[in-house]
Amino acid sequence: MKRYTSLILPLLFSTLCSMAQTPSWVTKRPASDKEYIGIGMAEVNDGDYMGIAKTNAYADIASQIATKVDSEAFMQTVDLDGKSRQLFEEKIKNSMVAWIEGVEIKESHTGNGKYYVYCTLDKKLYRKNVDARREEAVEKGLDYLQKGHEAIMEMNLSQAALLYGKGLEVVEPWTFMNLTADEINIPAELFTAYINVFSGMAITTNTVNIEAETFKNVNIPVAACLSKKGEVVPNVKLKAEFVNGDGAITPSISSNYTGTAEFYTTNILSNEKIQEIRISIDDSFMKSLPESYRELVGSHNFPTAKVTVTLSKGATTAFISINDQHDLEGIERHISNLLSEKYFKISEDPDIADCFVDISTKLDIGEIVSGSAYNLNTCYCTLIVKIYNNKTLELLTEYSLNNVKVLAPEHNSVEETISMCIREVMKRAKREMPRKLEKINL
């Protein structure tokens, strides 16, 4: 019994000493009318535990400040889908911790594998600092708001979006404060103006349907007019692109003083009977907006217009001819599939085809390369594809690959070697040949 008592007493004494040494602020939160109090804690084995505990104490102070100010009007404004509110709440929380000045560390304590820190912030000092920050945020935010409104009046929408976005960036860290001036809730006004820059807009076109032929340009341009609530909008870049079918269209262009941008279809590259061109706002300007706010504008809110392209006659036909120089036997099937995928209808009759496709290939066997398991033959492959106008015999385009290097096992059969060479050549042809086909113009 004495032996057990001798073991228990030191443990009990150690526990009592530990409890006696634990400051009261660790177990019971202090209160003060003159100071904000922050208590931070971290596990001792958490790497930079002192820094973590200090950050948590700052966050504790920040949370008390946030409960004493009114930002709910702004939060109700941005609470459109829950995502915007969450975005700003997270930013406000982070910025509050980052800017707090004048915090003093009163005490720290380590016990039971935990590190505690006790911080205070003088409320008068906080008020002095926060008033200066507030005035600066109000002044800059209001300036951006007014300049954004001026840009809207001039229908310079891209500039307006940039100004409103910059304004939000300025006031965002301080939206936990009341940033109202002359009865204007500046953050709320900036946010509302920002997300509505492109609202109420429409794009109309001079035609909704154009007739075309493959590998030919369309003489009549598509004129697109951009307007906002019935008023034309100049200086906004529009773009036109095929969403069904394929073709070449003149690049993005800014709307002129009448709000109009013209697009020319310089080539039709698909043999689909019905194709579609979509005209919309070129969103490249969004790269200049504050990154975290780009999604608030959202290109899904931009207006669009569509123009249907109808082929006035059937697809352009092509006859495939194999040149006498043809070592890669079978590659013609792959070329035929590539051409018929969207560009041509393959014809079996050379007399009625619009285009004549001449294919020639060459395969040279070079040096032998020693391998760890077996030797390899070095194969040099050449492919030449020439496409002619079958009526005028004009060369429309030419695609060539010269001496493409392919390593094939020496023990392979001739057929297996040719198959490997065709596979490697077609990898290149599928990537590169379409660029040549796009230049065809009948």
Side-chain angles (χ1 to χ4, degrees), residues 29 84 146 174 252 291 300 304 359 367 395:
R29 184 184 187 85
S84 300
Q146 291 171 342
W174 320 110
S252 300
E291 185 174 357
H300 58 275
T304 61
I359 299 175
E367 66 277 12
L395 179 63

Side-chain angles (χ1 to χ4, degrees), residues 262-363:
E262 289 188 341
F263 298 96
Y264 288 84
T265 305
T266 57
N267 209 349
I268 298 294
L269 302 173
S270 172
N271 57 21
E272 291 184 40
K273 180 67 176 177
I274 304 296
Q275 304 180 43
E276 184 180 314
I277 296 172
R278 180 174 60 198
I279 300 171
S280 60
I281 293 176
D282 187 329
D283 62 2
S284 59
F285 76 93
M286 291 181 66
K287 294 179 181 178
S288 64
L289 301 179
E291 185 174 357
S292 57
Y293 300 140
R294 289 173 193 169
E295 64 182 50
L296 297 179
V297 172
S299 56
H300 58 275
N301 292 324
F302 292 169
T304 61
K306 72 174 184 177
V307 175
T308 301
V309 179
T310 305
L311 297 189
S312 57
K313 69 171 192 175
T316 299
T317 55
F319 175 79
I320 295 178
S321 173
I322 309 301
N323 196 284
D324 292 338
Q325 176 65 52
H326 185 48
D327 295 335
L328 297 178
E329 186 176 348
I331 199 171
E332 65 275 7
R333 294 192 299 273
H334 297 276
I335 298 296
S336 176
N337 290 337
L338 177 60
L339 295 178
S340 63
E341 186 175 355
K342 72 174 184 178
Y343 302 103
F344 296 98
K345 180 180 179 181
I346 304 302
S347 172
E348 299 296 330
D349 188 345
D351 295 328
I352 63 172
D354 299 307
C355 295
F356 183 87
V357 182
D358 180 72
I359 299 175
S360 62
T361 61
K362 185 179 179 182
L363 172 60

Side-chain angles (χ1 to χ4, degrees), residues 86-117:
Q86 183 179 1
L87 169 69
F88 280 99
E89 284 181 338
E90 188 63 28
K91 284 179 168 291
I92 291 169
K93 178 182 176 182
N94 292 338
S95 62
M96 286 180 67
V97 174
W99 78 266
I100 289 177
E101 300 169 336
V103 175
E104 294 184 6
I105 298 178
K106 291 291 188 183
E107 293 182 46
S108 63
H109 171 72
T110 304
N112 297 325
K114 294 180 174 61
Y115 175 78
Y116 300 86
V117 64

